Amino acid sequence: VGSKVGRYLNRLRIDVRMLVGAGTAGAIAGAFDSPFAGAAYGFELIVGSYTVATLAPVVAAAIAGTIAAQGLVGHSFRIPVDIWDLSSDGHIVATVFLGLICGLVAIGLMRGVTATEHLARASRIPTPLRPVAGGLAVGLIALLVPHVLGAGHGAMALVLQAGWPLWLLMLVLVCKIAASAISLGSGFRGGLFSTSLFLGTITGALFAEAAVRVGLLQQNDVGLLSLVGMASFGAAVVGAPMTMALLAIEITEDLSVVGPVLLGVVAATLTVRQIFGYSFATWRFHLRGEAVLGGADIGWTRETTARSLMRRDVTLVPAAMRIVDFKQCFAPGTVKHAIAIDDQGGFAGFVDLAALHIERALESSELTEESAL
């Protein structure tokens, strides 16, 4: 919506990006009842940087999205979990190790989407019918595991609040990854934001339940590790660590989750950066031939030219000008440098005004006041 409005109003690309960031902030804030996370998402992934000029519209959109969602459906996405501190080395190791696992599984998911796309293109299925085939495949999976359908909000709350058996967690994790890869690979539009949160919750619960089975953790640790998994997996796929940390705080309404969540998020993000190198969105840009670091760079690579990068405020002087004349025309501090040109107007040299006014520099180069530039 933000993009369409910006283009309809014929706004500059920077204004369109701001509107897209504001729209995304409102959508995320409304979906999860988390204005801070929505605003952070807009700044981290869409706008590309935090500036005072974009603060008001992005924050206003996030607040408006929250109020609108509450007014329309009256929901409040809150999930209380049992909190533990990081006084135990075992808890710290478990949190970091979970972040590492989430990063590796996230890489497998992103690779899986690309592999499915390649299979779809290599098949003889006509392009318009590929989503039909993908939908049939996902429907067959859903007959076995209905949890693969939908954004995963309800299922995520169930995992965090009520323990699932180990076999069910493993089954849902594998089937959800397969369904997500098939959906995107066969041509369905969309991303992996909500999916990554759900998969992270499942991964965290699976890791915690396995640790409980071998006696490394207590049963009341499962809820928090599921939350850590949610934030870590989301940060690994989406590439927005601060958004995920704020989302975890807002949906639990507990600041004590900050420590373990940040440890997991950092571990997952570094794992993806070192092994894979990209978030899902950046990876998709590279597959399309866009050599960029993020969505905010698209405009630079497409529209930047050599002419637009050239400076026009340079000082030009003839190369035959004497140094004494140059120093009389340009006192220290008037300009930083000047470009010396020959009789035909071609580049002849670069004159550093500060160095030229230092007598020691003149002596070392054995120049005199009568020398030419």
Side-chain angles (χ1 to χ4, degrees):
V1 172
S3 178
K4 292 292 184 181
V5 170
R7 294 181 181 183
Y8 178 78
L9 297 176
N10 197 26
R11 303 302 301 173
L12 297 174
R13 177 177 289 272
I14 188 172
D15 296 328
V16 175
R17 182 180 297 136
M18 182 272 292
L19 289 172
V20 174
T24 309
I28 298 298
F32 293 93
D33 194 21
S34 53
F36 279 106
Y41 186 93
F43 286 123
E44 279 190 293
L45 263 70
I46 310 300
V47 180
S49 61
Y50 168 82
T51 62
V52 177
T54 56
L55 175 64
V58 173
V59 170
I63 296 174
T66 305
I67 296 174
Q70 291 176 349
L72 289 172
V73 298
H75 85 97
S76 180
F77 193 78
R78 294 292 180 267
I79 303 175
V81 296
D82 294 328
I83 306 300
W84 38 256
D85 57 30
L86 294 177
S87 58
S88 171
D89 293 340
H91 285 161
I92 296 176
V93 172
T95 303
V96 174
F97 193 61
L98 175 58
L100 173 64
I101 293 175
C102 287
L104 295 175
V105 178
I107 293 173
L109 172 63
M110 293 185 282
R111 288 285 190 185
V113 172
T114 304
T116 308
E117 281 185 331
H118 290 165
L119 290 175
R121 292 170 183 169
S123 68
R124 297 182 179 180
I125 303 175
T127 301
L129 295 181
R130 290 176 191 170
V132 177
L136 289 174
V138 173
L140 291 175
I141 296 175
L143 290 177
L144 176 64
V145 185
H147 310 79
V148 302
L149 299 176
H153 283 60
M156 187 163 57
L158 288 175
V159 174
L160 287 169
Q161 292 177 335
W164 286 8
L166 207 59
W167 66 268
L168 181 58
L169 291 171
M170 179 64 72
L171 180 63
V172 172
L173 178 65
V174 174
C175 291
K176 183 63 175 178
I177 290 176
S180 301
I182 292 172
S183 296
L184 293 177
S186 61
F188 281 94
R189 309 320 306 158
L192 292 173
F193 186 89
S194 296
T195 298
S196 65
L197 298 181
F198 177 53
L199 288 174
T201 304
I202 295 293
T203 304
L206 186 61
F207 173 82
E209 290 288 355
V212 170
R213 293 285 184 91
V214 298
L216 297 178
L217 294 174
Q218 302 297 321
Q219 189 63 43
N220 59 356
D221 298 333
V222 176
L224 182 60
L225 282 175
S226 300
L227 182 74
V228 172
M230 179 201 77
S232 301
F233 206 106
V237 172
V238 179
M242 290 308 301
T243 298
M244 296 306 162
L246 289 171
L247 180 63
I249 294 172
E250 288 187 285
I251 66 174
T252 59
E253 295 184 332
D254 196 328
L255 286 174
S256 60
V257 304
V258 173
V261 166
L262 283 179
L263 282 176
V265 164
V266 170
T269 304
L270 290 178
T271 300
V272 172
R273 180 174 292 274
Q274 293 298 320
I275 298 177
F276 190 62
Y278 314 100
S279 65
F280 182 68
T282 308
W283 170 239
R284 305 293 284 178
F285 286 135
H286 279 256
L287 292 177
R288 297 172 187 172
E290 302 283 1
V292 298
L293 299 177
D297 297 333
I298 286 289
W300 292 105
T301 58
R302 286 184 176 174
E303 298 182 354
T304 300
T305 62
R307 179 180 295 274
S308 66
L309 294 177
M310 295 297 178
R311 297 189 59 173
R312 296 173 174 82
D313 59 344
V314 294
T315 301
L316 302 179
V317 296
M321 175 183 282
R322 296 185 307 167
I323 292 179
V324 62
D325 297 332
F326 181 88
K327 293 173 67 175
Q328 289 177 354
C329 294
F330 302 100
T334 54
V335 295
K336 290 184 178 180
H337 52 260
I339 302 298
I341 57 176
D342 55 24
D343 295 336
Q344 288 74 36
F347 176 80
F350 182 87
V351 184
D352 188 339
L353 184 66
L356 197 62
H357 279 276
I358 300 177
E359 297 298 333
R360 188 174 301 173
L362 293 175
E363 293 173 0
S364 63
S365 59
E366 298 183 355
L367 295 177
T368 66
E369 295 293 337
E370 300 299 322
S371 300
L373 289 173

